[in-house]
Amino acid sequence: FISVTGRFAHWAEQCDDVDLEALVNDMNSSLESLYSTCSSQQTESAPLLHNGQNSCSHHHHIQHNQACTVHKMSILFLLCRRLQVEEQQLRTSSLPAIPNPFPELCSPASSPVLSPGSLPPREPSSDKYIVKIFSEDGIGKVVEIPADMTARDLCQLLVYKSHLVDDNKWSLVEHHPLLGLERCLEDHELVVQVQAFMNSDSRFLFRKNYAKYEFFRNPLTFFPEHMVAWCQESDHTIPPSQLLQNFLSTSSCPEIQGHLYMKEVGRKSWKKVYMFLRRSGLYCSTKGTSKEPRHLQLLADLEESNIFTVTLGKKHHGAPTDYHFCIKPNKTRGEMKELRMLCAEDEQSRTCWMTAFRLFKYGIVLYQNYGVPQQTKTLLSHFSAPVRSVSENSLVAMDFSGRIGRVIDNPVEAQSAAMEEGLVWRRKTRMHILGSHSPLHHSSLNSVIHIAQLWFYGRITREESHRIIHQQGQVDGLFLLRVSQSNPKAYVLTLCHHQKIKHFQILPCEEDGQVFFSLDDGVTKFTDLIQLVEFYQLNRGVLPCKLKHPCTVVAL
């Protein structure tokens, strides 16, 4: 027993170098030798004892010693077994996690990652997921997000990391290039859940969307009276507040109706049918414009579907017009036979159908999403500057005119310094573009100063400008400038007004040897395009509306 306990003490000091199984075997052999030694001693001492009473007491003493020895050895044995189990658990828990190749075999409550020490099961930890976001120029950025991150939270994270202005106009777009489908995620949607049902070729895009909640500001523009059923039944015009209230209230039963072209399943032909959009789903009438239940056929359930814009041209699907959209089930990988392809007569009708689909599906949640940035704007209304990202708010105005820089505390002085710095930057930009030693004329300077602006897109086609306006939301005042295709010396202002895209040519005119730019045949002249844009941002002039929202393409 002393030899075994000595070995155990030596193992306690050097536990990393001892094999526990060998130690247990050694203890078992020591126990057997101890039994044999005690029994031999009892046999040899029997002839030497002549008193029966002494022999009996000696026999009981030996049995007591054997029992104590067995009890102590059993305690050591159990202790060694417990240490062996703890050592095994410590080794397995330090191993790296192995991705589960069969996540569908796991229970919903378990983690999608298998760990060697997963028995008994543990509570799932806050897992991180990898999401790749692409900008319009095709450059992607990998972001690690938690499972409960919404689309709005991810947009704010990208705004912060890219040092952009947080004007609550950014959106995350679910894009399917092979199908030619895309939609803007709602602010409350979980990004990880949406990514789970996307194909390998699908991706997330980060872009501006000025029209996400525009229907809350101008509802009459989005919902014409001839398409809203209860507007036709009333004798007077519905006010905008009541119009939205009826859409958001669950007690009311609004209905969107009208003709749509529907692509027949498995065929290339399109059929014009009369449709009804309600909270319960999208229906088509099998008999003219009849609303009777026996004549209505359910085409899509709003709770189980999402609505997408079709980015491919009408020639790809053989659509009768350019204003087509699609209803796609949520839990499908997007085969063409599962898509419900639809086509409207004009842009206003398509916008009405798609906006009503969102309102019927999400209801008051959309208004809550719209109210969050409005509340933030109200809290920050006492600031003269727009809401900026955290990195921009950490900047302060500095004066480096002296030997030592100083912080400008006076807001008036800081504003004048910023204006002066802007003028200096403008002069430096001119010299940087043309070179400080270039003997070019002043008109040449004015003809290239605009190329660094976000709203200038260079040599793009008319169709490409339409696509960019569609992507960033067809709201009043959305604009961009491009080089004219018909006149290389002229430019074109592409402007959206009342969901229609219009083009205005900017012609150069020369006066006293100096070149100017004008939109109204020389009545109002500007030395460069930056001055022209700044003027029409403050004055409507000959345009149908002021320039409000520049089309912006940002690289992540």
Side-chain angles (χ1 to χ4, degrees), residues 146-252:
D148 59 346
M149 176 168 279
T150 62
R152 166 172 283 171
D153 296 336
L154 182 54
C155 287
Q156 291 182 343
L157 177 64
L158 295 174
V159 166
Y160 170 74
K161 289 190 173 184
S162 304
H163 308 285
L164 304 174
V165 177
D166 188 8
D167 55 358
N168 298 302
K169 305 295 184 184
W170 299 98
S171 63
L172 201 64
V173 179
E174 177 186 354
H175 181 62
H176 302 270
L178 296 182
L179 299 175
L181 305 177
E182 66 179 26
R183 75 175 182 97
C184 289
L185 270 67
E186 304 297 343
D187 288 342
H188 65 275
E189 288 190 80
L190 299 180
V191 180
V192 175
Q193 290 184 0
V194 176
Q195 184 177 240
F197 296 102
M198 293 174 59
N199 297 331
S200 58
D201 62 288
S202 304
R203 57 177 60 181
F204 286 121
L205 301 178
F206 181 61
R207 70 160 69 122
K208 284 273 191 178
N209 184 12
Y210 295 98
K212 184 187 294 185
Y213 300 114
E214 187 66 19
F215 57 89
F216 284 117
R217 305 180 185 94
N218 303 303
L220 296 180
T221 306
F222 286 79
F223 302 104
E225 293 185 359
H226 69 275
M227 295 186 63
V228 183
W230 42 269
C231 286
Q232 295 181 351
E233 298 173 358
S234 60
D235 298 333
H236 56 281
T237 304
I238 303 296
S241 58
Q242 185 178 353
L243 180 65
L244 286 176
Q245 185 177 1
N246 290 335
F247 274 105
L248 298 175
S249 177
T250 56
S251 60
S252 61

Side-chain angles (χ1 to χ4, degrees), residues 325-337:
F325 56 99
C326 172
I327 297 179
K328 173 181 172 294
N330 293 336
K331 299 182 180 181
T332 59
R333 294 297 180 179
E335 298 182 3
M336 289 301 300
K337 62 181 181 180

Side-chain angles (χ1 to χ4, degrees), residues 265-326:
V265 180
R267 299 182 181 180
K268 296 183 179 181
S269 59
W270 293 72
K271 182 179 179 181
K272 189 174 183 179
V273 294
Y274 202 78
M275 294 194 179
F276 304 90
L277 182 61
R278 302 171 179 174
R279 298 188 193 278
S280 57
L282 178 66
Y283 300 86
C284 69
S285 177
T286 58
K287 186 178 180 180
T289 60
S290 175
K291 292 185 180 181
E292 296 184 16
R294 60 193 179 97
H295 295 152
L296 295 182
Q297 179 184 356
L298 179 64
L299 296 179
D301 184 4
L302 273 60
E303 295 296 330
E304 302 296 333
S305 306
N306 280 315
I307 193 163
F308 287 79
T309 302
V310 181
T311 58
L312 299 177
K314 66 177 184 179
K315 294 183 179 180
H316 184 82
H317 296 286
T321 67
D322 291 321
Y323 313 104
H324 45 307
F325 56 99
C326 172

